[in-house]
Amino acid sequence: MREVGRPVVGTSLGDVWQDVVTGQPDPEQWIIVTAAVVALAAVLLGPPWRVARNVVTIAHEGGHALVALLSGRQLTGIRLHSDTSGVTVSRGRPTGIGMILTVFAGYVAPSVIGLLGIMMLKAGYITALLWLSIVVLAAMLLMIRNFYGVLSIVVTGAVVFGVSWFTPDEVQGAFAYLFIWFLLFAGVRPVIELQSQRVRNPSPHSDADQLARLTGLPGTLWVGVFLLVNVAVTLLGVWLLFF
């Protein structure tokens, strides 16, 4: 753990590694609450949401990619677009439980990642969380197949790296809680946007409609499942932190 008041410019790999393996104390409660309020505002307000939603897309497509690999599919590429949409392509059986889980994973990934992050933060592993995020982003970068996707991953990774390397524990803690609160809260809004888009401009390519074809269950039902899972996960994350 860094010594209080030690110059940040003196950070070394050994200092960071010590923070990764030993953990840090939680920020003060008011910092955690403020981070939650700011994260919620970023989800609810239009201008910040349009920028921050790129992080949600990274988590969404990362969820597809991870579950595709875990279910034995061959991951061939990920694309992230400037309109905050994305595509993850994998090869394997076009039907079956592996394909169902792969398609299902996208919309629940941000909230689930947020919950896992809350667990790490409660255990004190603030720097470890930031560096795990960098490792995951680096792994995703290898599969990105378009320029905007590369730009999104590199900029996000650079921000996380800068905070983890150049800032004191207090700033890292505030940033980590803001980051995780945002992912936890941000899982709900895209599901609502999905259903709104399905009503205005139906598309057979949405995750819900792909699941409808794979399972025979209505796409609207799958939207409801996404929403139920994300709301439940969000409430669990809040409960873990405050109760």
Side-chain angles (χ1 to χ4, degrees):
M1 192 183 307
R2 293 188 184 87
E3 296 176 7
V4 177
R6 198 191 65 199
V8 175
V9 293
T11 298
S12 68
L13 182 59
D15 296 325
V16 174
W17 179 248
Q18 185 179 10
D19 281 353
V20 169
V21 297
T22 61
Q24 301 83 38
D26 271 344
E28 296 182 36
Q29 192 76 355
W30 72 267
I31 295 178
I32 297 174
V33 173
T34 301
V37 172
V38 173
L40 186 59
V43 173
L44 296 178
L45 300 179
W49 174 248
R50 282 191 288 272
V51 176
R53 200 185 191 289
N54 287 281
V55 177
V56 180
T57 304
I58 292 172
H60 180 113
E61 300 305 328
H64 284 314
L66 177 61
V67 175
L69 292 173
L70 292 177
S71 61
R73 301 181 62 80
Q74 180 183 359
L75 185 63
T76 59
I78 302 171
R79 290 178 176 269
L80 307 173
H81 302 135
S82 59
D83 63 356
T84 70
S85 65
V87 177
T88 298
V89 180
S90 62
R91 293 177 181 171
R93 287 185 57 193
T95 59
I97 187 63
M99 187 63 184
I100 292 171
L101 292 175
T102 297
V103 176
F104 180 79
Y107 275 99
V108 301
S111 294
V112 170
I113 294 170
L115 179 62
L116 295 175
I118 290 292
M119 294 177 180
M120 289 190 68
L121 293 178
K122 278 188 66 69
Y125 291 109
I126 294 172
T127 304
L129 171 69
L130 298 178
W131 276 83
L132 178 60
S133 301
I134 293 169
V135 170
V136 171
L137 289 169
M140 283 190 67
L141 185 60
L142 298 176
M143 300 306 302
I144 297 294
R145 297 294 182 262
N146 67 323
F147 174 76
Y148 187 82
V150 171
L151 181 64
S152 296
I153 295 291
V154 169
V155 169
T156 304
V159 171
V160 178
F161 173 80
V163 171
S164 67
W165 190 272
F166 295 109
T167 67
D169 290 342
E170 295 81 2
V171 176
Q172 289 188 37
F175 176 83
Y177 272 97
L178 176 63
F179 178 48
I180 291 304
W181 275 128
F182 174 75
L183 286 176
L184 195 66
F185 293 147
V188 175
R189 180 165 177 171
V191 177
I192 297 172
E193 293 175 344
L194 168 65
Q195 183 59 20
S196 177
Q197 183 181 26
R198 293 181 71 246
V199 171
R200 294 194 319 269
N201 185 25
S203 169
H205 303 299
S206 76
D207 290 0
D209 291 290
Q210 290 185 62
L211 286 168
R213 290 195 300 274
L214 289 167
T215 64
L217 299 174
T220 302
L221 175 64
W222 285 108
V223 173
V225 173
F226 294 152
L227 186 61
L228 180 63
V229 170
N230 288 348
V231 169
V233 168
T234 300
L235 292 175
L236 178 57
V238 172
W239 182 82
L240 286 174
L241 268 179
F242 293 121
F243 300 99

